[in-house]
PDB file of all heavy atoms in Angstrom:
ATOM      1  N   ASP A  50     -22.720   2.143 -56.263  1.00  0.00           N
ATOM      2  CA  ASP A  50     -22.247   1.930 -57.637  1.00  0.00           C
ATOM      3  C   ASP A  50     -21.516   0.690 -57.736  1.00  0.00           C
ATOM      4  O   ASP A  50     -20.386   0.560 -57.371  1.00  0.00           O
ATOM      5  CB  ASP A  50     -21.453   3.110 -57.989  1.00  0.00           C
ATOM      6  CG  ASP A  50     -20.985   3.142 -59.495  1.00  0.00           C
ATOM      7  OD1 ASP A  50     -20.707   2.085 -60.030  1.00  0.00           O
ATOM      8  OD2 ASP A  50     -20.972   4.255 -60.042  1.00  0.00           O
ATOM      9  N   ARG A  51     -22.108  -0.346 -58.402  1.00  0.00           N
ATOM     10  CA  ARG A  51     -21.446  -1.656 -58.495  1.00  0.00           C
ATOM     11  C   ARG A  51     -20.166  -1.612 -59.305  1.00  0.00           C
ATOM     12  O   ARG A  51     -19.110  -2.274 -58.981  1.00  0.00           O
ATOM     13  CB  ARG A  51     -22.425  -2.626 -59.170  1.00  0.00           C
ATOM     14  CG  ARG A  51     -21.796  -4.030 -59.268  1.00  0.00           C
ATOM     15  CD  ARG A  51     -22.832  -5.045 -59.900  1.00  0.00           C
ATOM     16  NE  ARG A  51     -22.361  -6.442 -59.694  1.00  0.00           N
ATOM     17  CZ  ARG A  51     -21.383  -6.938 -60.491  1.00  0.00           C
ATOM     18  NH1 ARG A  51     -20.742  -6.289 -61.483  1.00  0.00           N
ATOM     19  NH2 ARG A  51     -21.021  -8.204 -60.294  1.00  0.00           N
ATOM     20  N   THR A  52     -20.179  -0.972 -60.383  1.00  0.00           N
ATOM     21  CA  THR A  52     -19.050  -0.892 -61.297  1.00  0.00           C
ATOM     22  C   THR A  52     -17.866  -0.302 -60.522  1.00  0.00           C
ATOM     23  O   THR A  52     -16.703  -0.794 -60.520  1.00  0.00           O
ATOM     24  CB  THR A  52     -19.298  -0.120 -62.559  1.00  0.00           C
ATOM     25  OG1 THR A  52     -20.341  -0.687 -63.264  1.00  0.00           O
ATOM     26  CG2 THR A  52     -18.022  -0.007 -63.478  1.00  0.00           C
ATOM     27  N   TRP A  53     -18.059   0.847 -59.865  1.00  0.00           N
ATOM     28  CA  TRP A  53     -17.031   1.558 -59.110  1.00  0.00           C
ATOM     29  C   TRP A  53     -16.585   0.712 -57.881  1.00  0.00           C
ATOM     30  O   TRP A  53     -15.476   0.535 -57.640  1.00  0.00           O
ATOM     31  CB  TRP A  53     -17.508   2.905 -58.624  1.00  0.00           C
ATOM     32  CG  TRP A  53     -16.438   3.703 -58.049  1.00  0.00           C
ATOM     33  CD1 TRP A  53     -15.444   4.372 -58.544  1.00  0.00           C
ATOM     34  CD2 TRP A  53     -16.267   3.805 -56.500  1.00  0.00           C
ATOM     35  NE1 TRP A  53     -14.579   4.944 -57.616  1.00  0.00           N
ATOM     36  CE2 TRP A  53     -15.151   4.573 -56.376  1.00  0.00           C
ATOM     37  CE3 TRP A  53     -16.957   3.363 -55.455  1.00  0.00           C
ATOM     38  CZ2 TRP A  53     -14.600   5.001 -55.090  1.00  0.00           C
ATOM     39  CZ3 TRP A  53     -16.461   3.687 -54.185  1.00  0.00           C
ATOM     40  CH2 TRP A  53     -15.350   4.540 -54.049  1.00  0.00           C
ATOM     41  N   GLY A  54     -17.566   0.138 -57.169  1.00  0.00           N
ATOM     42  CA  GLY A  54     -17.326  -0.658 -56.038  1.00  0.00           C
ATOM     43  C   GLY A  54     -16.428  -1.899 -56.332  1.00  0.00           C
ATOM     44  O   GLY A  54     -15.401  -2.197 -55.628  1.00  0.00           O
ATOM     45  N   LEU A  55     -16.794  -2.592 -57.425  1.00  0.00           N
ATOM     46  CA  LEU A  55     -16.061  -3.744 -57.876  1.00  0.00           C
ATOM     47  C   LEU A  55     -14.655  -3.328 -58.284  1.00  0.00           C
ATOM     48  O   LEU A  55     -13.676  -3.964 -57.865  1.00  0.00           O
ATOM     49  CB  LEU A  55     -16.737  -4.351 -59.090  1.00  0.00           C
ATOM     50  CG  LEU A  55     -16.092  -5.630 -59.651  1.00  0.00           C
ATOM     51  CD1 LEU A  55     -15.875  -6.681 -58.668  1.00  0.00           C
ATOM     52  CD2 LEU A  55     -16.938  -6.134 -60.896  1.00  0.00           C
ATOM     53  N   SER A  56     -14.459  -2.293 -58.996  1.00  0.00           N
ATOM     54  CA  SER A  56     -13.108  -1.812 -59.385  1.00  0.00           C
ATOM     55  C   SER A  56     -12.295  -1.489 -58.226  1.00  0.00           C
ATOM     56  O   SER A  56     -11.134  -1.838 -58.097  1.00  0.00           O
ATOM     57  CB  SER A  56     -13.279  -0.597 -60.267  1.00  0.00           C
ATOM     58  OG  SER A  56     -12.049  -0.069 -60.635  1.00  0.00           O
ATOM     59  N   MET A  57     -12.802  -0.721 -57.295  1.00  0.00           N
ATOM     60  CA  MET A  57     -12.107  -0.318 -56.067  1.00  0.00           C
ATOM     61  C   MET A  57     -11.799  -1.474 -55.113  1.00  0.00           C
ATOM     62  O   MET A  57     -10.706  -1.521 -54.560  1.00  0.00           O
ATOM     63  CB  MET A  57     -12.837   0.713 -55.301  1.00  0.00           C
ATOM     64  CG  MET A  57     -12.890   2.101 -56.167  1.00  0.00           C
ATOM     65  SD  MET A  57     -11.302   2.691 -56.696  1.00  0.00           S
ATOM     66  CE  MET A  57     -10.506   3.083 -55.095  1.00  0.00           C
ATOM     67  N   CYS A  58     -12.733  -2.452 -55.030  1.00  0.00           N
ATOM     68  CA  CYS A  58     -12.429  -3.602 -54.156  1.00  0.00           C
ATOM     69  C   CYS A  58     -11.292  -4.530 -54.655  1.00  0.00           C
ATOM     70  O   CYS A  58     -10.572  -5.166 -53.985  1.00  0.00           O
ATOM     71  CB  CYS A  58     -13.725  -4.397 -53.902  1.00  0.00           C
ATOM     72  SG  CYS A  58     -14.760  -3.735 -52.660  1.00  0.00           S
ATOM     73  N   ARG A  59     -11.184  -4.439 -56.042  1.00  0.00           N
ATOM     74  CA  ARG A  59     -10.091  -5.172 -56.672  1.00  0.00           C
ATOM     75  C   ARG A  59      -8.758  -4.583 -56.251  1.00  0.00           C
ATOM     76  O   ARG A  59      -7.737  -5.261 -56.160  1.00  0.00           O
ATOM     77  CB  ARG A  59     -10.193  -5.215 -58.154  1.00  0.00           C
ATOM     78  CG  ARG A  59     -11.187  -6.126 -58.717  1.00  0.00           C
ATOM     79  CD  ARG A  59     -11.262  -6.094 -60.137  1.00  0.00           C
ATOM     80  NE  ARG A  59     -12.187  -7.132 -60.607  1.00  0.00           N
ATOM     81  CZ  ARG A  59     -13.117  -6.843 -61.580  1.00  0.00           C
ATOM     82  NH1 ARG A  59     -13.174  -5.630 -62.213  1.00  0.00           N
ATOM     83  NH2 ARG A  59     -14.007  -7.792 -61.973  1.00  0.00           N
ATOM     84  N   LYS A  60      -8.751  -3.240 -55.978  1.00  0.00           N
ATOM     85  CA  LYS A  60      -7.541  -2.603 -55.586  1.00  0.00           C
ATOM     86  C   LYS A  60      -7.332  -2.639 -54.096  1.00  0.00           C
ATOM     87  O   LYS A  60      -6.135  -2.707 -53.610  1.00  0.00           O
ATOM     88  CB  LYS A  60      -7.588  -1.096 -56.004  1.00  0.00           C
ATOM     89  CG  LYS A  60      -7.537  -0.946 -57.557  1.00  0.00           C
ATOM     90  CD  LYS A  60      -7.789   0.449 -57.953  1.00  0.00           C
ATOM     91  CE  LYS A  60      -7.836   0.603 -59.398  1.00  0.00           C
ATOM     92  NZ  LYS A  60      -7.968   1.876 -59.813  1.00  0.00           N
ATOM     93  N   ASP A  61      -8.370  -2.591 -53.277  1.00  0.00           N
ATOM     94  CA  ASP A  61      -8.225  -2.555 -51.861  1.00  0.00           C
ATOM     95  C   ASP A  61      -9.544  -3.081 -51.235  1.00  0.00           C
ATOM     96  O   ASP A  61     -10.561  -2.404 -51.159  1.00  0.00           O
ATOM     97  CB  ASP A  61      -7.983  -1.083 -51.377  1.00  0.00           C
ATOM     98  CG  ASP A  61      -7.631  -1.083 -49.899  1.00  0.00           C
ATOM     99  OD1 ASP A  61      -7.882  -2.090 -49.087  1.00  0.00           O
ATOM    100  OD2 ASP A  61      -6.965  -0.073 -49.420  1.00  0.00           O
ATOM    101  N   GLY A  62      -9.497  -4.229 -50.762  1.00  0.00           N
ATOM    102  CA  GLY A  62     -10.710  -4.894 -50.242  1.00  0.00           C
ATOM    103  C   GLY A  62     -11.224  -4.283 -48.929  1.00  0.00           C
ATOM    104  O   GLY A  62     -12.368  -4.530 -48.544  1.00  0.00           O
ATOM    105  N   ARG A  63     -10.474  -3.430 -48.262  1.00  0.00           N
ATOM    106  CA  ARG A  63     -10.996  -2.756 -47.171  1.00  0.00           C
ATOM    107  C   ARG A  63     -12.158  -1.858 -47.313  1.00  0.00           C
ATOM    108  O   ARG A  63     -12.964  -1.511 -46.561  1.00  0.00           O
ATOM    109  CB  ARG A  63      -9.842  -1.926 -46.440  1.00  0.00           C
ATOM    110  CG  ARG A  63      -8.681  -2.802 -45.947  1.00  0.00           C
ATOM    111  CD  ARG A  63      -7.590  -1.927 -45.476  1.00  0.00           C
ATOM    112  NE  ARG A  63      -6.930  -1.213 -46.513  1.00  0.00           N
ATOM    113  CZ  ARG A  63      -5.870  -0.436 -46.347  1.00  0.00           C
ATOM    114  NH1 ARG A  63      -5.279  -0.261 -45.144  1.00  0.00           N
ATOM    115  NH2 ARG A  63      -5.353   0.184 -47.351  1.00  0.00           N
ATOM    116  N   LEU A  64     -12.346  -1.486 -48.691  1.00  0.00           N
ATOM    117  CA  LEU A  64     -13.431  -0.630 -49.007  1.00  0.00           C
ATOM    118  C   LEU A  64     -14.785  -1.340 -48.892  1.00  0.00           C
ATOM    119  O   LEU A  64     -15.790  -0.711 -48.564  1.00  0.00           O
ATOM    120  CB  LEU A  64     -13.311  -0.188 -50.485  1.00  0.00           C
ATOM    121  CG  LEU A  64     -14.411   0.721 -51.067  1.00  0.00           C
ATOM    122  CD1 LEU A  64     -14.406   2.089 -50.332  1.00  0.00           C
ATOM    123  CD2 LEU A  64     -14.332   0.901 -52.459  1.00  0.00           C
ATOM    124  N   LEU A  65     -14.846  -2.677 -48.853  1.00  0.00           N
ATOM    125  CA  LEU A  65     -16.117  -3.420 -48.794  1.00  0.00           C
ATOM    126  C   LEU A  65     -16.950  -2.900 -47.617  1.00  0.00           C
ATOM    127  O   LEU A  65     -18.132  -2.781 -47.702  1.00  0.00           O
ATOM    128  CB  LEU A  65     -15.871  -4.898 -48.660  1.00  0.00           C
ATOM    129  CG  LEU A  65     -17.081  -5.714 -48.766  1.00  0.00           C
ATOM    130  CD1 LEU A  65     -17.825  -5.597 -50.106  1.00  0.00           C
ATOM    131  CD2 LEU A  65     -16.768  -7.230 -48.485  1.00  0.00           C
ATOM    132  N   ARG A  66     -16.275  -2.688 -46.428  1.00  0.00           N
ATOM    133  CA  ARG A  66     -17.066  -2.387 -45.271  1.00  0.00           C
ATOM    134  C   ARG A  66     -17.832  -1.015 -45.462  1.00  0.00           C
ATOM    135  O   ARG A  66     -18.841  -0.755 -44.739  1.00  0.00           O
ATOM    136  CB  ARG A  66     -16.180  -2.200 -44.114  1.00  0.00           C
ATOM    137  CG  ARG A  66     -15.267  -0.986 -44.114  1.00  0.00           C
ATOM    138  CD  ARG A  66     -14.299  -0.906 -43.026  1.00  0.00           C
ATOM    139  NE  ARG A  66     -15.028  -0.705 -41.740  1.00  0.00           N
ATOM    140  CZ  ARG A  66     -14.509  -0.590 -40.559  1.00  0.00           C
ATOM    141  NH1 ARG A  66     -13.172  -0.657 -40.479  1.00  0.00           N
ATOM    142  NH2 ARG A  66     -15.192  -0.327 -39.503  1.00  0.00           N
ATOM    143  N   HIS A  67     -17.517  -0.182 -46.359  1.00  0.00           N
ATOM    144  CA  HIS A  67     -18.171   1.079 -46.636  1.00  0.00           C
ATOM    145  C   HIS A  67     -19.182   1.063 -47.697  1.00  0.00           C
ATOM    146  O   HIS A  67     -19.854   2.056 -47.960  1.00  0.00           O
ATOM    147  CB  HIS A  67     -17.196   2.221 -46.836  1.00  0.00           C
ATOM    148  CG  HIS A  67     -16.231   2.357 -45.702  1.00  0.00           C
ATOM    149  ND1 HIS A  67     -16.563   2.840 -44.461  1.00  0.00           N
ATOM    150  CD2 HIS A  67     -14.918   1.999 -45.627  1.00  0.00           C
ATOM    151  CE1 HIS A  67     -15.604   2.894 -43.719  1.00  0.00           C
ATOM    152  NE2 HIS A  67     -14.538   2.261 -44.322  1.00  0.00           N
TER     153      HIS A  67
END
Side-chain angles (χ1 to χ4, degrees):
D50 186 320
R51 184 182 189 277
T52 302
W53 185 80
L55 180 59
S56 172
M57 293 305 295
C58 280
R59 285 185 177 131
K60 295 176 183 182
D61 191 338
R63 295 176 293 183
L64 180 66
L65 184 66
R66 72 184 292 181
H67 300 291

